[in-house]
Every structure is written in structure tokens, then in C-alpha cells.
Amino acid sequence: AVTCTQAVVNNLDDAHELIDTALSTALKESKPVYISISCNLPGIPHPTFAREPVPFSLAPFVSNECGLEAAVEATAEFLNKAARPVLVGGPKLRVAKAQQAFMELADACGYPIAVMPSGKGLVQEHHPHFIGTYWGAVSTSCCGEIVESADAYVFVGPIFNDYSSVGYSLLIKKEKAVIVQPNRVTIGNGPSLGWVFMADFLRALAKKLKKNSTALENYRRIYVPPGIALKRDNNEPLRVNILFKHIQDLLGGDTAVIAETGDSWFNCQKLKLPENCGYEFQMQYGSIGWSVGATLGYAQAAKDKRVIACIGDGSFQVTAQDISTMIRCGQRSIIFLINNGGYTIEVEIHDGPYNVIKNWDYTGLVDAIHNGEGKCWTAKVCTEEQLVEAIATATGAHKDSLCFIEVLVHKDDTSKELLEWGSRVASANSRPPNPQ
């Protein structure tokens, strides 16, 4: 059910057609497919293998011209009447392959551009119009106020659910919104036009909009930069905000950030991504432990980037064994294991004894998996001085090794955004059921 098409190959005569159809659908839809091949077939010769394969042609999706024109005209009229319009990018920008078209629209319209939390990394943060992450009450500084006070907003590829809406508390109204999905555009309470593809629509719209930088100028007037962490004493126990200050300094175009479900969501969201810095943030299912496998897969595919993963101790316990494959494959990621003694994000949503976990000797576990075979280095840190030394080693003497840095912090050391988000999601979760 999680795939967009399935191919079950039980005989060789239709294998080529089934497999080609599945692969072409995956490429066109940017979604997973399922291919099942009977175990007694792969070794059997077939006449079609006697020659080189004929190149397979993928017919591109083309927007309905009348629908595209109608959507662009209606949207341009809607937005050109607005005084303070804004532009917000969402996670479906990637599926629609519309990131470049989104930036072309941003350049043309002059609106401030924000990103939804699960769309971070899909919008250029070095762009002069970028104002941060729109996440309702836990948005980055001044971004939420600008978006929610706008009289028109364009959401491109959004996903609205309990997590992205901070417990359904976003202060946005349908009548002010243009919602652009990969193959549909909906304008306020007005028309909803299908078979209009996102990249086509954004490029066409860019030619029709009047430049309007009013909301961007408002943002620049009210923006206050984030505060500086309080002065610390020598050998003071390490704080999470100090940790992420140093992670920020690690980032460049040759790195990628993997943000595990939990407090790393919020701390990584505040990182300023340099140009070409990768970023992955799985939000739709809140799946703890996903980032260990994601770090493995990302590092294997993106050989030109060093992956920096921020993982909580509870999440790591779910999928820790993937460290073994990372070492076997010679990967050189840096994993920050943030050990605060439990499932902190769950504590903020709904506390109970099940959120307390058995503490592990995490560096000892990774050393045991390493077992002297391959390149792997571990460190355990509990002060800023130790952290600085560990990072210097991970980027210096062990820059070609898998580096695992266990960071010990207080169990209640969380971002203010997690406290706000958790209380709102908890409130939404405890609402009475709708009458049937």
C-alpha cells in the first residue's frame, strides 16, 4: 500500500514489460514501487537477452494548457491584489522536481520566502528573500508573524498534519491561500484546477506577478537575531545549545545534516544551511530511529558529502546495528549521539514510565561493533572543552573514519520550541473525538 505500483513476475515472457513499467512509474512519480521476482527465474536465459536492450522512452508529464493558463491567470489576479503576499515552500517540491522553478518565482515576485519544517533543505537559505522556517508557534524568529499576518500566501507542495501544524494551531485561512500541489492548484475559496504540474505553473506564474516586497521589508524591520547562549563556566556540563553552535560551524557545501525525530528536529531546524549543504528531516510519521538507516543510505549515495547526524539515545537504540554496515562500507559520517536518558519528545507530548530507557555504554557498543576492522573512532564528551577536542579529531586525524561522538546532557535540556510544540500537540491529541 505504500508503493505507487506493483509488479509480480512469475514468468519470463512478460518480465521485461512489468519491470520497465514499474521502473518508469517510479521515475515519473518519484515514489517507491514494489517488484517481486520468483526465486527460480533469475538464472534462466531468455531470447530477449541476446542483444543490447532497446532504450526505454519516458513520456514527460505535460500540463493541460487550458488548465495551466486558467490557474496562472486566477492566481496572478489573486496575488496582484494583495498588499503583503508571502511564498512558502513545502516537502513536495522534491517529488515535483520544482525546486529550481520555485527559486525562479521567488526571484521574480520579490515576496519573502519561508519553508515548512519538512521542506528545509529544498529552498536556498542564502537567498536574500529567505526569512526562515514557518512552523506556527515554533517558527524561526519573526517568520511566523510575517506569514500569518500576510493577506495572501502561496504554499507550494505543503503537507498539513498534526505535527506540521503544531497541533492544528496554524493561524492561516483558506480564503487567503493558494495551495500548489504537484499536479493541482487551488486558489482560496475559488477554483481548483487539476493536471496542472507544479514546475510549469511556477514558471508561468513568475511572468505574471507584479513585484511586491512589502512583506519582506516588514520582516527586515521587525527581525531580531537569535540570542547568544549565556556565558558558561569552565568545565560546566555541556548544554544542547552550545553543542549546536559547534555543529553549525561544521557545515559547508560538502556536508549534509540528518535530523532524527525528537529534539534534534527543532535544534537542526535552527541551523543555517550553507549553499549546497544537504538536509534530511523525516516528519510525516514521527518515526524514531529512522535517521540511523537514513545516514547509512545517504552516505552511501552521496560520496562527495560528509554526513553529520544528530540522533537521540532512545532513537539510536531502535536501529543501532546499522553502524556495522557503515563501518563495512568505509563511510566517514560524524554521528552525534545526544544522550539525555530517555524519549524526551515523548515526555513533552505524553509522559509515563515507558519514556525512561535503559542507558547503554554507547561508545563501548560501537567499539564492539567496530572490533578493530575498518575505520571507526569514538569519543564520550560532557563539557564544551571535550566537545571542541572531539570535533577537531573528527575533522582532522580521523576525517576519513566513521566518527561517533556521544554527548552527555541533562535530561531536561530541551529547546524551547520542543516545549511549545509538545504542549500544543498534547492538547490536540487529548481533544474529544468528533461525534459520528
Side-chain angles (χ1 to χ4, degrees), residues 357-372:
I357 59 175
K358 171 72 177 68
N359 195 34
W360 291 0
D361 178 0
Y362 293 98
T363 54
L365 173 68
V366 173
D367 288 337
I369 293 172
H370 175 211
N371 198 26

Side-chain angles (χ1 to χ4, degrees), residues 17 48 75 83 95 108 110-111 122 131 148 157 180 191 199 219 227 240 253 276 280 296 304 317 334 358 392 402-403:
E17 182 177 353
T48 55
T75 303
V95 174
Y111 303 172
L122 303 180
I131 64 171
E148 293 183 342
V180 186
Y219 170 79
V240 171
N276 295 322
E280 297 298 331
L296 165 62
D304 58 328
Q317 288 196 7
I334 301 176
K358 171 72 177 68
L402 177 73
C403 295

